[in-house]
Amino acid sequence: MKSFSFLALCFLLLWGNACLQGQTEGQIITKSFKVIDTIDLKMDIHYPAEFKKGDQLPVIIFFFGGGWKGGTIEQFRPHAQYFASRGIIAALADYRVESRHGTTPFESVKDAKSAIRFLRIHQEELGIDSDKIIAAGGSAGGHLAAATALVPGLEEEGEKLEISSQSNAMVLFNPVYNNGPGQYGYDRIGERYPEISPRHNIRKGAPPAIVFFGTEDPLLSPETAMDFDAAMEAVGSQCETFLYEGQKHGFFNFAKPKYYKETVYQTDRFLQKLGYLSGEPAIKRETENK
């Protein structure tokens, strides 16, 4: 799972700013949400231009991909800019990964949960509606987003555990949400997979989800996606799964404008259905494929 090219992103951001079609975002602030050992984890928080003190808005928090081994928050910067321009708060959260911190997927999940808890603890200061926290991410970041919604436990010791770390909705871009035998990540997680695999922790009351997969993904099969969809339906939870013919892993990234626009458009519509957004999407899709 390769991380998104930072140089490519810098170039594309110039193009992307023109694609917001007159929409603007406001202030961007950086907050330290967790200090563990010598590691200081931060998140960038993008605000809508019209945000004012006293507002309580939904927030979408993005977790980058990279196989729990690498990656940076820049992967989802264009997504954060778009959703801030649409009137909600958008956050980009760092977390511990193997290449920089020598950690495992279990620490990554703890960090994602810490990020959600931080948003709730500081909801008044940050202007957040704590009942409308959307966890989003791609690949391993999609796993983290799903884990915040579905996986019990794996909380960081010493935090205010009476404050929930569960997200209220999921936006998942080719997520690694089945870590069982034969699935991605099992070689690193092993027999502990029931603790960390979102698919194996779907229960009644699971938050709603929207999921995007490419049919030619070499790492994750469409069958895995449809199995998750069926399991969510079985417990009465909403799950919209979109399969894109011929697309491979990471097809949704900003470097692929057609599918970046398509998946952002569908996410916008999904958040409208939940009552988190209103009005027509500001982005124009280029494909009708589902």
Side-chain angles (χ1 to χ4, degrees):
M1 296 186 180
K2 296 181 179 178
S3 60
F4 190 64
S5 167
F6 178 72
L7 290 177
L9 179 60
C10 289
F11 172 78
L12 286 165
L13 281 175
L14 297 175
W15 170 81
N17 286 337
C19 291
L20 292 178
Q21 301 176 6
Q23 300 292 316
T24 57
E25 64 171 337
Q27 184 183 19
I28 304 171
I29 64 172
T30 300
K31 289 286 186 179
S32 173
F33 72 89
K34 182 176 186 176
V35 177
I36 184 162
D37 299 324
T38 60
I39 301 166
D40 186 3
L41 295 174
K42 295 180 170 64
M43 66 171 71
D44 283 1
I45 305 174
H46 292 242
Y47 283 89
E50 63 274 19
F51 178 82
K52 59 186 182 299
K53 187 174 177 60
D55 285 348
Q56 287 187 299
L57 301 177
V59 57
I60 183 167
I61 180 168
F62 290 94
F63 300 102
F64 58 83
W68 310 286
K69 295 181 179 181
T72 78
I73 65 171
E74 297 304 324
Q75 178 183 14
F76 285 103
R77 182 78 66 182
H79 296 73
Q81 291 177 324
Y82 173 81
F83 286 105
S85 81
R86 283 283 284 127
I88 64 174
I89 298 168
L92 303 165
D94 199 5
Y95 60 90
R96 286 173 289 174
V97 294
E98 182 182 2
S99 63
R100 294 194 290 274
H101 310 108
T103 50
T104 73
F106 293 92
E107 285 75 39
S108 299
V109 170
K110 289 183 179 181
D111 293 344
K113 292 193 167 199
S114 296
I116 300 290
R117 180 172 290 112
F118 175 87
L119 294 175
R120 280 212 171 88
I121 291 173
H122 298 278
Q123 59 181 304
E124 290 188 15
E125 170 196 346
L126 298 174
I128 288 168
D129 183 340
S130 64
D131 293 324
K132 294 181 178 179
I133 298 178
I134 310 137
S139 195
H143 169 266
L144 300 187
T148 67
L150 301 171
V151 173
L154 297 181
E155 308 282 2
E156 195 64 68
E157 188 176 342
E159 291 188 352
K160 297 180 178 179
L161 300 186
E162 68 274 16
I163 306 296
S164 174
S165 65
Q166 184 181 42
S167 54
N168 304 106
M170 297 173 272
V171 176
L172 310 176
F173 302 88
N174 50 235
V176 182
Y177 50 26
N178 186 332
N179 308 119
Q183 301 295 328
Y184 188 90
Y186 181 75
D187 58 335
R188 296 180 64 194
I189 293 165
E191 291 306 308
R192 291 185 64 189
Y193 75 87
E195 297 176 49
I196 198 173
S197 174
R199 168 60 184 88
H200 294 84
N201 287 279
I202 295 174
R203 296 178 178 85
K204 187 174 178 61
I210 187 169
V211 185
F212 305 102
F213 265 94
T215 62
E216 299 300 322
D217 192 320
L219 303 176
L220 307 165
S221 70
E223 289 75 21
T224 300
M226 300 317 297
D227 172 67
F228 184 92
D229 191 292
M232 288 282 283
E233 182 179 348
V235 298
S237 290
Q238 177 184 353
C239 186
E240 298 182 23
T241 300
F242 290 81
L243 299 178
Y244 294 97
E245 232 12 86
Q247 296 308 300
K248 298 183 177 181
H249 203 68
F251 71 99
F252 58 88
N253 278 315
F254 193 64
K256 308 287 182 64
K258 179 178 180 179
Y259 289 100
Y260 162 76
K261 291 178 182 178
E262 164 67 11
T263 54
V264 167
Y265 175 89
Q266 296 296 350
T267 300
D268 193 313
R269 296 295 297 271
F270 172 70
L271 296 180
Q272 288 182 53
K273 293 174 187 176
L274 297 182
Y276 292 9
L277 280 178
S278 61
E280 286 299 308
I283 199 164
K284 302 300 182 185
R285 62 199 299 218
E286 297 181 11
T287 177
E288 298 297 326
N289 293 335
K290 180 176 178 179

